[in-house]
Amino acid sequence: MQLDLSRHVAADPATVWAVLTDIPSAHLTLSGVLAVEILTDGPYEPGLRWRETRKMFGMKSTEEMMVLAAEPPNATTIVAENGGT
């Protein structure tokens, strides 16, 4: 399954990119994110991995996330595995 999301934001691309790629602060800027654990050192680029704990639909879940592609400041692809999917 693939999920594509888009949203208009009244800010320049560089500002949005800085917020979205600040993974250690995701719990402060993204609703639903409760905690982040960085698994690999380094900048936001393909291969960066982290565990993200979110609360969605009243349930808590922790997923391992990875940057698959990064095209600053316009596009990124993040993948996650959930139950073997």
Side-chain angles (χ1 to χ4, degrees):
M1 174 171 59
Q2 181 174 327
L3 175 65
D4 293 314
L5 299 171
S6 64
R7 170 178 258 168
H8 177 75
V9 176
D12 65 279
T15 299
V16 174
W17 185 263
V19 171
L20 288 178
T21 61
D22 184 2
I23 302 302
S25 298
H27 67 289
L28 301 173
T29 57
L30 298 175
S31 63
V33 175
L34 303 175
V36 172
E37 175 189 2
I38 302 296
L39 301 176
T40 56
D41 290 330
Y44 187 93
E45 63 184 16
L48 178 69
R49 293 178 27 243
W50 69 95
R51 277 193 201 97
E52 188 174 282
T53 301
R54 286 181 173 251
K55 189 169 187 178
M56 293 178 58
F57 308 114
M59 299 185 336
K60 236 165 80 170
S61 177
T62 300
E63 308 295 338
E64 188 170 314
M65 317 285 277
M66 184 180 79
V67 177
L68 187 63
E71 300 169 29
N74 298 309
T76 189
T77 303
I78 300 169
V79 294
E81 187 173 317
N82 182 327
T85 304

